[in-house]
Amino acid sequence: MSERIEKILARELNEPRSRVKTLLQKGQVTVDGVVARAGQQADPDTQEICLAGEPIACRAFVYLMLNKPTGVLSATDGKGAPTVLDLVPSALGRKGLFPAGRLDKDTTGFVLLTDDGAFAHRILSPRSHIPKTYIATLDKPVPPTAAAAFAGGMEMDGKVLQPAQLTILSAHPPRAQVVLRQGIYHQVKRMFARVGCTVTALHRTAMGVLELDPTLAPGDCRALTPAEVALLAKDTVQ
């Protein structure tokens, strides 16, 4: 679909219109080898758009995997506090990015960032029941009866929760893996509190079958590959 070249450049380069205007005035942008002019139409799906001779990878939507560190909000506006969007480098960013789902401020791990509202809705829809995997560090060993309590469907906020899978990983230090198919406020922490444990650290390791890239340091992010996006999409099939 054809769009004004300014709109394409602002979106793909994550630059303000004033910067885009300067690039066009300097003749640094070409479309199919011809210097682009302000106001002209271009189709990023069928035409090659270059900046200083280098092709610009035009993307219909952006899908990013972020390893969220503690102390960062899963929000688009932190009202002065750091947010997950502050961690996205300009080369990967785009106007309209938002976190598809939230992690508590002190919870770390996999956050999906995208500007694809329809895809995010499918990921977050309760009907999809996308499993999310967490590793919890606790103040004491998990009691043997906890797995049955998690699987049995606890009642919380007047509702019976979906069964959750609990796997004890170690007693020293006390660590356990939890797989949820829904998400209510502080669910993991509240479930462990029901069995007499306090969560001292919580880390999301996977969404669906897509695991957090172990090479991503806290605060780092990267674009998902088409195959990884397809994995997430497959999990949303009703």
Side-chain angles (χ1 to χ4, degrees):
M1 179 184 295
S2 293
E3 303 174 90
R4 286 174 61 91
I5 190 67
E6 293 94 333
K7 182 178 179 180
I8 296 170
L9 293 172
R11 180 181 68 230
E12 301 301 334
L13 299 176
N14 196 31
E15 295 280 3
R17 291 294 180 97
S18 58
R19 168 65 174 159
V20 168
K21 182 178 179 181
T22 299
L23 294 174
L24 290 167
Q25 290 174 339
K26 291 183 176 181
Q28 292 186 295
V29 180
T30 61
V31 177
D32 288 341
V34 179
V35 174
R37 302 300 179 190
Q40 82 173 65
Q41 297 284 313
D43 186 344
D45 293 327
T46 61
Q47 294 179 290
E48 184 180 61
I49 302 173
C50 295
L51 173 62
E54 295 295 325
I56 296 173
C58 297
R59 305 157 289 177
F61 294 106
V62 173
Y63 308 91
L64 304 178
M65 174 189 291
L66 170 73
N67 185 1
K68 186 183 99 61
T70 188
V72 175
L73 298 178
S74 296
T76 56
D77 182 4
K79 295 180 172 54
T83 75
V84 288
L85 297 187
D86 296 326
L87 301 175
V88 179
S90 59
L92 293 177
R94 177 187 282 185
K95 184 178 180 180
L97 277 178
F98 61 92
R102 297 175 181 270
L103 291 180
D104 297 337
K105 184 177 181 179
D106 59 350
T107 299
T108 61
F110 190 168
V111 171
L112 173 68
L113 302 172
T114 185
D115 58 347
D116 187 344
F119 185 81
H121 177 74
R122 290 167 60 193
I123 291 291
L124 301 175
S125 171
R127 293 177 298 175
S128 295
H129 299 305
I130 299 298
K132 299 176 180 66
T133 305
Y134 300 83
I135 301 296
T137 303
L138 307 150
D139 66 335
K140 64 184 67 172
V142 180
T145 57
F150 275 53
M154 295 180 179
E155 184 176 337
M156 202 168 286
D157 296 338
K159 299 179 180 179
V160 177
L161 301 180
Q162 293 282 335
Q165 180 183 348
L166 171 66
T167 303
I168 298 174
L169 301 178
S170 64
H172 304 287
R175 296 174 70 245
Q177 175 182 281
V178 180
V179 181
L180 303 179
R181 290 187 173 272
Q182 68 186 118
I184 66 171
Y185 183 69
H186 287 172
Q187 182 175 344
V188 175
K189 297 174 183 177
R190 294 166 70 188
M191 291 178 76
F192 274 112
R194 291 282 184 88
V195 298
C197 296
T198 298
V199 175
T200 60
L202 190 61
H203 183 73
R204 183 193 281 168
T205 61
M207 297 181 67
V209 298
L210 183 58
E211 297 183 352
L212 178 65
D213 187 336
T215 68
L216 286 178
D220 286 350
C221 69
R222 68 164 175 80
L224 294 183
T225 67
E228 289 172 331
V229 175
L231 279 177
L232 277 176
K234 182 179 179 180
D235 280 329
T236 67
V237 175
Q238 305 297 314

